[in-house]
Amino acid sequence: MRLSLLALPFAAALVKAVHHRDIPYKIKESIQGPPRGWHRNGPAPPDHRIELKIALPQPHSPILEKHLWEVSNPKHERYGAYLSKEETEELMAPHPETLDVVSEWLSSYGIEEEHLYRSSAQDWVTIRVPVALAEEMLDTKYHIYTHSDSGESIVRTTSYSLPEGLHEHVELIQPTTMFTRLKSFKSTLHWSNTVSSGSLSPSTGTLTGPAGNPIDASCNGTITITCLKELYNAVGYNTSATNGNKIAVTGYLEQYANNMDLQQFFQLENPMADGSNYTFVSVNGGLNNQSYAAAGVEANLDTQFAFGLTYPTPPTFYSTGGSPPYIPDALTPTDSNEPYVNWLDYVSSQEYLPQTISTSYGDDEQTVPYNYATRVCLGFAALGARGISILFSSGDGGVGDGDANPATQQCFSNDGTNKTIFIPEFPAACPYVTSVGGTNYIPETAVFFSGGGFSNYFPRPDYQNTAVSKYLQSLAPGTYEGLYNPNGRGIPDVAAQAWNFLIVYQGQTGYVAGTSCASPTFASFVSMLNDARISAGKPPLGFLNPWLYEAGYAGLNDITVGNNPGCGTEGFNATIGWDPVTGFGTPNFEKLLSLAMAA
């Protein structure tokens, strides 16, 4: 989906807006300064066009959350009675007065209906305006900010204001104070033509898996589809192509899944799937570039393993477009937000969706403004209320900032105090998604980069109280005091293998690692569970966490060895029960299937 917004008559709009200078303005949002690593350069060019997304308050969101808890709780009589698209939109819709007030405000600047785009629930309004007009509307000044490590530049401000009477009708406007650097989660291994060293056993013969079944010993050095089915006890389970179950993965940052690579992968790892394809969905102008040069390691990994593991379940790949970083000496057309809102807007407007969706992208929680993070998180809650299982990789920085190299991690708060803290990842920290950490080797241990910890934004949800409290009580008094929020939502929830996945990239086989591997893997086994439930006439599992923490954890392999270092510490340790390294552990499909069918 690409927005078709008409260009505003710039000069006329400014003339019309002059009278607003006399209206009392009040600061809506401000930050101390740009996050660590960002440096302010000159002012943004006044004619540079910026895409502003305006979030309107959702007065019925508490009712939406109530529905989510009820339909996701295996003990509740409404378990599995999911809401429809129309029902969720009704609960996400702004008050009619808000629509009128905001429309009047926009109209006073010459921005009429034909110049804007409204989301399906009308809770987001999108406009494209020159920087000069945005500055007039928001009583602010935009500047160019450059990141010292990557060199990328963006157009942002550290404070913006609105007329006082508008505050109750506008929840937030972005991009303004948001300095996210959305990235796919992969360790520093990234891509290698040879397997990484460190296997714990010979590569010939067999090993005994956690379910007592034999596993080819080569799986200790190379992870394939066969290895995962053996390790996670799903050999012999066959999914349906026709019962209505579907699986999807998301792609961002111009990551394109290459179809020739996919077929070569199928021939190598799942010959039954050779010749099959997936449904491609473009979101916000996302492309489907099939040149070898454009193939993305992340997109190839996600599609090859998720679609190879679940074949013949019908698969979907969402390609979400987004403007590149602003280049000061190039004619970059538009600055936009990180892409989750665009993706959420699209999928929320669709009547039918895949029941299981995996995403391997995220950012440091503290770089996402709190009100923006909570708003996006509520969008995931709405999908859960519709019966969709949303899974995110937990990150590759251990307890650090997403950099898998502990020596280069930057573990400082960005609130102006620059104190050392652990850095959780978002959206993995959202309590309405299932966060997936990483393991390696057989027997499985926590992989060193497995993202984990505790959210500084979201309080611990009720479903985590027992498990997380037990873990915290097991820590020695004073452990990492002040470095993490013991009352925050704990991540991850579960885990899966995340090391030495054999994929095909640009016609060559090679190895990748990261929780990018773990999320589509765990999602594939969730999709198999949904397949079985749907074939038996049951609803899909939907938002997984209440079920996982109530009963599903008994179908997971508890990981008790390993830790996730970062920020100059050893990080947290994997231990008996839930831990902030591997959650409750990795799937034992036969046990999970029995538990899922009983729910």
Side-chain angles (χ1 to χ4, degrees), residues 2 7 39 54 77 85 96 110 114 124-125 168 171 232 250 268 277 320 328 334 341 349 425 466 558 565 577:
R2 182 180 293 277
H39 303 283
I54 306 168
E77 62 183 3
K85 165 185 171 291
E114 64 266 25
W124 288 90
V125 179
E168 63 181 303
E171 187 170 333
Y232 296 144
T250 63
L268 180 66
N277 211 330
T320 301
T334 306
V341 165
S349 69
E425 298 293 314
T466 300
D558 194 7

Side-chain angles (χ1 to χ4, degrees), residues 304-466:
Q304 289 172 18
F305 270 86
F307 302 165
L309 277 166
T310 58
Y311 175 81
T313 297
T316 297
F317 178 68
Y318 293 104
S319 176
T320 301
S323 298
Y326 174 71
I327 304 172
D329 20 347
L331 296 177
T332 306
T334 306
D335 261 5
S336 64
N337 302 269
E338 56 85 19
Y340 292 127
V341 165
N342 289 329
W343 182 81
L344 279 167
D345 176 39
Y346 176 83
V347 295
S348 299
S349 69
Q350 303 303 299
E351 192 74 35
Y352 302 103
L353 294 170
Q355 293 87 346
T356 311
I357 303 176
S358 172
T359 297
S360 296
Y361 299 76
D363 207 344
D364 301 344
E365 182 185 65
Q366 67 172 358
T367 67
V368 184
Y370 170 77
N371 57 2
Y372 189 89
T374 55
R375 183 58 178 256
V376 169
C377 188
L378 190 61
F380 295 127
L383 293 179
R386 291 179 58 181
I388 313 302
S389 301
I390 305 293
L391 297 94
F392 275 87
S393 49
S394 68
D396 290 347
V399 294
D401 70 343
D403 187 337
N405 182 356
T408 58
Q409 286 186 350
Q410 299 291 317
C411 301
F412 303 98
S413 66
N414 64 351
D415 59 0
T417 64
N418 285 330
K419 66 179 180 179
T420 301
I421 58 170
F422 291 164
I423 310 291
E425 298 293 314
F426 180 81
C430 170
Y432 304 131
V433 307
T434 300
S435 174
V436 188
T439 63
N440 58 358
Y441 305 133
I442 304 168
E444 288 183 277
T445 64
V447 71
F448 72 93
F449 52 71
S450 183
F454 300 86
S455 173
N456 292 310
Y457 282 1
F458 301 100
R460 184 192 311 150
D462 288 346
Y463 62 74
Q464 281 196 320
N465 275 339
T466 300

Side-chain angles (χ1 to χ4, degrees), residues 232 434-439 444 450-451 462-471 489-496 522 544-560 573-588 592 595:
Y232 296 144
T434 300
S435 174
V436 188
T439 63
E444 288 183 277
S450 183
D462 288 346
Y463 62 74
Q464 281 196 320
N465 275 339
T466 300
V468 174
S469 295
K470 184 177 180 181
Y471 176 81
R489 184 269 204 265
I491 55 175
D493 302 297
V494 294
F522 199 96
L544 296 168
N545 294 5
W547 172 71
L548 282 172
Y549 284 80
E550 173 67 30
Y553 69 90
L556 299 174
N557 308 310
D558 194 7
I559 309 302
T560 60
N573 290 320
T575 189
I576 295 172
W578 182 90
D579 55 70
V581 191
T582 60
F584 275 120
T586 61
N588 180 329
L592 284 172
L595 293 165

Side-chain angles (χ1 to χ4, degrees), residues 223-226 228-229 239-240 245-251 257 262 265-266 269-270 273 276-278 297-318 354 356-360 391 497 501-503 512 515-528:
I223 294 295
T224 64
I225 283 175
T226 299
L228 293 172
K229 286 192 172 183
T239 59
S240 169
N245 187 47
K246 295 181 180 180
I247 187 172
V249 296
T250 63
L262 180 63
F265 175 85
F266 284 159
E269 297 199 24
N270 187 355
S276 66
N277 211 330
Y278 56 88
V297 173
E298 178 65 59
N300 276 11
L301 162 67
D302 291 338
T303 53
Q304 289 172 18
F305 270 86
F307 302 165
L309 277 166
T310 58
Y311 175 81
T313 297
T316 297
F317 178 68
Y318 293 104
T356 311
I357 303 176
S358 172
T359 297
S360 296
L391 297 94
Q497 283 279 321
F501 274 51
L502 183 66
I503 71 166
V512 293
T515 54
S516 283
C517 303
S519 185
T521 295
F522 199 96
S524 295
F525 289 93
V526 172
S527 181
M528 294 181 204

Side-chain angles (χ1 to χ4, degrees), residues 75-221:
K75 291 186 174 181
H76 199 279
E77 62 183 3
R78 291 188 61 218
Y79 180 60
Y82 301 120
L83 303 184
S84 67
K85 165 185 171 291
E86 291 75 18
E87 288 170 331
T88 56
E89 286 182 348
E90 185 176 337
L91 295 172
M92 296 167 71
H95 192 281
E97 181 185 358
T98 290
L99 295 175
D100 292 341
V101 170
V102 173
S103 292
E104 182 180 352
W105 175 64
L106 294 174
S107 180
S108 71
Y109 286 94
I111 306 172
E112 308 295 348
E113 281 297 313
E114 64 266 25
H115 302 134
L116 55 83
Y117 168 81
R118 296 185 187 275
S119 63
S120 185
Q122 299 193 73
D123 55 332
W124 288 90
V125 179
T126 304
I127 60 175
R128 285 180 181 159
V129 295
V131 161
L133 181 53
E135 292 176 337
E136 183 77 24
M137 296 173 68
L138 305 180
D139 191 25
T140 189
K141 290 293 181 183
Y142 277 91
H143 289 81
I144 300 169
Y145 291 85
T146 302
H147 195 269
S148 55
D149 291 338
S150 68
E152 67 183 86
S153 295
I154 56 177
V155 173
R156 294 294 188 269
T157 182
T158 57
S159 175
Y160 69 94
S161 301
L162 292 172
E164 286 193 57
L166 203 60
H167 277 235
E168 63 181 303
H169 298 289
V170 172
E171 187 170 333
L172 62 96
I173 299 178
Q174 292 291 352
T176 48
T177 58
M178 183 162 57
F179 288 79
T180 53
R181 295 178 60 228
L182 180 71
K183 52 189 175 289
S184 58
F185 286 139
K186 285 191 288 291
S187 76
T188 50
L189 175 63
H190 289 292
W191 169 258
S192 173
N193 289 318
T194 58
V195 69
S196 295
S197 60
S199 298
L200 299 181
S201 70
S203 59
T204 58
T206 59
L207 303 170
T208 300
N213 55 314
I215 301 170
D216 192 291
S218 65
C219 298
N220 223 354

